Coordinates of all heavy atoms in Angstrom, one line a residue:
Q46 N -219.2 5.1 -66.3 CA -220.1 5.5 -65.3 C -221.5 5.8 -65.9 O -221.6 6.4 -66.9 CB -219.6 6.7 -64.5 CG -220.4 7.1 -63.3 CD -219.7 8.1 -62.4 OE1 -218.5 8.4 -62.6 NE2 -220.4 8.6 -61.4
A47 N -222.5 5.5 -65.2 CA -223.9 5.8 -65.6 C -224.4 7.1 -64.9 O -224.1 7.3 -63.7 CB -224.9 4.6 -65.3
F48 N -225.1 7.9 -65.6 CA -225.6 9.1 -65.1 C -227.1 9.3 -65.5 O -227.5 8.8 -66.6 CB -224.9 10.4 -65.6 CG -223.6 10.7 -65.0 CD1 -222.4 10.1 -65.5 CD2 -223.5 11.5 -63.8 CE1 -221.2 10.4 -64.9 CE2 -222.3 11.7 -63.2 CZ -221.1 11.2 -63.7
T49 N -227.9 9.9 -64.7 CA -229.2 10.3 -65.1 C -229.2 11.8 -65.3 O -228.8 12.6 -64.5 CB -230.2 10.0 -64.0 OG1 -230.2 8.5 -63.7 CG2 -231.6 10.4 -64.4
V50 N -229.7 12.2 -66.5 CA -229.7 13.6 -66.8 C -230.7 14.4 -66.0 O -231.9 14.1 -66.0 CB -230.0 13.8 -68.3 CG1 -230.1 15.3 -68.7 CG2 -229.0 13.1 -69.2
M55 N -229.6 20.2 -72.1 CA -229.1 19.6 -73.3 C -230.2 19.0 -74.3 O -230.0 18.3 -75.2 CB -228.1 18.4 -73.0 CG -226.8 18.9 -72.5 SD -225.8 19.7 -73.9 CE -225.6 18.3 -75.0
E56 N -231.4 19.5 -74.0 CA -232.5 19.0 -74.9 C -232.3 19.6 -76.3 O -231.7 20.7 -76.5 CB -233.9 19.6 -74.4 CG -234.3 18.8 -73.1 CD -235.6 19.4 -72.5 OE1 -235.9 20.6 -72.8 OE2 -236.2 18.7 -71.7
E57 N -232.8 18.9 -77.3 CA -233.5 17.7 -77.3 C -232.5 16.5 -77.4 O -232.9 15.3 -77.5 CB -234.4 17.6 -78.5 CG -235.7 18.5 -78.4 CD -236.6 17.9 -77.3 OE1 -237.0 16.7 -77.4 OE2 -237.0 18.7 -76.5
T58 N -231.2 16.8 -77.5 CA -230.3 15.7 -77.6 C -230.4 14.8 -76.3 O -230.4 13.5 -76.5 CB -228.8 16.2 -77.6 OG1 -228.7 17.1 -78.7 CG2 -227.8 15.1 -77.8
L59 N -230.4 15.4 -75.2 CA -230.6 14.6 -73.9 C -231.7 15.2 -73.2 O -231.8 16.5 -73.0 CB -229.3 14.7 -73.0 CG -228.0 14.1 -73.6 CD1 -226.9 14.4 -72.6 CD2 -228.2 12.6 -73.8
R60 N -232.6 14.4 -72.7 CA -233.9 14.8 -72.1 C -233.8 14.5 -70.6 O -233.0 13.7 -70.1 CB -235.1 14.2 -72.7 CG -235.2 14.4 -74.2 CD -236.3 13.6 -74.8 NE -236.3 13.8 -76.2 CZ -237.0 13.0 -77.1 NH1 -237.6 11.9 -76.6 NH2 -237.0 13.2 -78.4
I61 N -234.6 15.2 -69.8 CA -234.6 15.0 -68.4 C -235.0 13.6 -68.1 O -235.9 13.0 -68.6 CB -235.6 16.0 -67.7 CG1 -235.2 17.4 -67.9 CG2 -235.7 15.7 -66.2 CD1 -236.2 18.4 -67.4
G62 N -234.2 12.9 -67.3 CA -234.4 11.5 -66.9 C -233.7 10.5 -67.8 O -233.7 9.3 -67.5
D63 N -233.1 11.0 -68.9 CA -232.3 10.0 -69.8 C -231.2 9.4 -68.9 O -230.5 10.2 -68.2 CB -231.7 10.7 -71.0 CG -232.7 10.9 -72.1 OD1 -233.9 10.4 -72.0 OD2 -232.4 11.5 -73.1
R64 N -230.9 8.2 -69.1 CA -229.7 7.5 -68.5 C -228.7 7.4 -69.5 O -228.9 6.8 -70.6 CB -230.1 6.2 -67.8 CG -231.1 6.4 -66.7 CD -231.3 5.1 -65.9 NE -232.3 5.3 -64.9 CZ -232.8 4.3 -64.1 NH1 -232.3 3.1 -64.3 NH2 -233.7 4.6 -63.2
I65 N -227.5 7.9 -69.3 CA -226.4 7.9 -70.2 C -225.2 7.2 -69.6 O -225.0 7.1 -68.4 CB -226.0 9.3 -70.6 CG1 -225.6 10.2 -69.4 CG2 -227.2 10.0 -71.4 CD1 -225.1 11.6 -69.7
L66 N -224.4 6.7 -70.5 CA -223.1 6.0 -70.1 C -222.0 7.0 -70.5 O -222.0 7.6 -71.6 CB -222.9 4.7 -70.8 CG -223.9 3.6 -70.4 CD1 -223.5 2.3 -71.1 CD2 -224.0 3.4 -68.9
V67 N -221.0 7.1 -69.6 CA -219.9 8.0 -69.7 C -218.6 7.3 -69.7 O -218.3 6.5 -68.8 CB -219.9 9.1 -68.6 CG1 -218.7 10.0 -68.7 CG2 -221.2 9.9 -68.6
I82 N -219.9 15.4 -76.2 CA -220.7 15.8 -75.0 C -220.0 15.2 -73.8 O -219.6 14.1 -73.7 CB -222.1 15.2 -75.0 CG1 -222.9 15.8 -76.2 CG2 -222.9 15.4 -73.7 CD1 -224.3 15.1 -76.5
V126 N -223.5 18.5 -67.6 CA -223.5 17.9 -69.0 C -223.6 19.0 -70.0 O -224.6 19.7 -70.1 CB -224.6 16.8 -69.2 CG1 -224.4 16.1 -70.5 CG2 -224.7 15.9 -68.0
R128 N -221.9 20.4 -74.2 CA -221.2 20.0 -75.5 C -219.9 20.9 -75.6 O -220.0 22.1 -75.4 CB -222.1 20.2 -76.7 CG -221.4 19.6 -78.0 CD -222.3 19.9 -79.2 NE -223.6 19.3 -79.1 CZ -223.9 18.0 -79.4 NH1 -222.9 17.3 -79.9 NH2 -225.1 17.5 -79.3
D184 N -227.1 22.3 -75.6 CA -227.8 22.3 -76.8 C -229.2 23.1 -76.7 O -229.7 23.6 -77.7 CB -228.1 20.8 -77.2 CG -226.9 20.1 -77.7 OD1 -225.8 20.8 -77.8 OD2 -227.0 18.9 -78.1
R212 N -216.6 11.3 -71.4 CA -217.4 11.6 -72.5 C -218.7 10.8 -72.5 O -218.7 9.5 -72.4 CB -216.6 11.3 -73.8 CG -217.5 11.5 -75.1 CD -216.8 11.0 -76.3 NE -217.8 11.1 -77.5 CZ -217.5 10.6 -78.7 NH1 -216.4 10.0 -79.0 NH2 -218.4 10.7 -79.7
A213 N -219.8 11.4 -72.6 CA -221.1 10.7 -72.8 C -221.2 10.2 -74.2 O -221.1 10.9 -75.2 CB -222.3 11.7 -72.5
F214 N -221.4 8.8 -74.2 CA -221.3 8.2 -75.6 C -222.6 7.4 -75.9 O -222.8 7.0 -77.0 CB -220.1 7.3 -75.7 CG -220.1 6.1 -74.8 CD1 -220.6 4.8 -75.3 CD2 -219.7 6.1 -73.5 CE1 -220.6 3.7 -74.5 CE2 -219.7 5.0 -72.7 CZ -220.2 3.8 -73.2
L215 N -223.5 7.2 -74.9 CA -224.6 6.3 -75.2 C -225.8 6.7 -74.3 O -225.6 6.8 -73.1 CB -224.2 4.8 -75.0 CG -225.2 3.8 -75.4 CD1 -225.4 3.7 -76.9 CD2 -224.8 2.4 -74.9
I216 N -227.0 6.8 -74.9 CA -228.2 6.8 -74.1 C -228.7 5.4 -74.0 O -229.0 4.8 -75.0 CB -229.3 7.7 -74.8 CG1 -228.7 9.1 -75.0 CG2 -230.5 7.8 -73.9 CD1 -229.6 10.0 -75.9
V217 N -228.9 4.9 -72.8 CA -229.4 3.6 -72.6 C -230.8 3.5 -72.1 O -231.5 2.4 -72.2 CB -228.5 2.8 -71.6 CG1 -227.1 2.7 -72.1 CG2 -228.5 3.5 -70.2
W218 N -231.4 4.6 -71.7 CA -232.8 4.6 -71.2 C -233.4 6.0 -71.3 O -232.6 6.9 -71.0 CB -232.8 4.1 -69.7 CG -234.2 3.8 -69.3 CD1 -235.0 4.7 -68.5 CD2 -235.1 2.7 -69.5 NE1 -236.2 4.2 -68.3 CE2 -236.3 2.9 -68.9 CE3 -234.8 1.5 -70.1 CZ2 -237.3 2.0 -68.9 CZ3 -235.9 0.6 -70.2 CH2 -237.1 0.8 -69.6
P219 N -234.6 6.1 -71.7 CA -235.6 5.1 -72.0 C -235.3 4.5 -73.4 O -234.7 5.2 -74.3 CB -236.9 5.9 -72.0 CG -236.5 7.3 -72.3 CD -235.2 7.5 -71.7
I220 N -235.8 3.3 -73.6 CA -235.5 2.6 -74.9 C -235.9 3.4 -76.1 O -235.1 3.4 -77.1 CB -236.2 1.2 -74.9 CG1 -235.7 0.3 -73.7 CG2 -236.0 0.5 -76.2 CD1 -234.2 0.1 -73.8
P221 N -237.0 4.0 -76.2 CA -237.4 4.8 -77.4 C -236.4 5.9 -77.8 O -236.3 6.3 -78.9 CB -238.8 5.4 -77.1 CG -239.3 4.5 -76.1 CD -238.2 4.1 -75.2
H222 N -235.7 6.4 -76.7 CA -234.7 7.5 -77.0 C -233.3 7.0 -76.9 O -232.3 7.8 -77.0 CB -234.9 8.6 -75.9 CG -234.2 9.9 -76.2 ND1 -233.7 10.7 -75.3 CD2 -234.0 10.5 -77.4 CE1 -233.1 11.7 -75.9 NE2 -233.4 11.6 -77.2
A223 N -233.1 5.7 -76.8 CA -231.7 5.1 -76.7 C -230.9 5.3 -78.0 O -231.5 5.3 -79.1 CB -231.8 3.6 -76.3
G224 N -229.6 5.4 -77.9 CA -228.8 5.5 -79.1 C -227.4 6.1 -78.8 O -227.2 6.6 -77.6
S225 N -226.5 6.1 -79.7 CA -225.2 6.6 -79.5 C -225.2 8.1 -79.7 O -226.0 8.7 -80.3 CB -224.2 6.0 -80.5 OG -224.6 6.2 -81.8
L226 N -224.2 8.7 -79.0 CA -224.0 10.2 -79.1 C -222.8 10.5 -79.9 O -221.7 10.6 -79.4 CB -223.9 10.8 -77.6 CG -225.1 10.6 -76.7 CD1 -224.8 10.9 -75.3 CD2 -226.3 11.4 -77.2
E227 N -223.0 10.7 -81.2 CA -221.9 10.9 -82.1 C -221.6 12.4 -82.2 O -222.4 13.2 -81.9 CB -222.3 10.4 -83.5 CG -222.7 8.9 -83.5 CD -221.6 7.9 -83.2 OE1 -220.4 8.4 -83.3 OE2 -221.9 6.8 -83.0

Side-chain angles (χ1 to χ4, degrees):
Q46 184 170 349
F48 282 90
T49 301
V50 177
M55 282 295 294
E56 291 177 336
E57 289 287 310
T58 306
L59 298 175
R60 301 168 184 168
I61 297 173
D63 279 356
R64 294 186 184 179
I65 58 176
L66 295 184
V67 175
I82 297 173
V126 186
R128 187 183 298 276
D184 288 0
R212 177 189 174 185
F214 68 96
L215 187 67
I216 304 171
V217 295
W218 188 264
I220 295 300
H222 195 216
S225 60
L226 296 169
E227 305 291 344

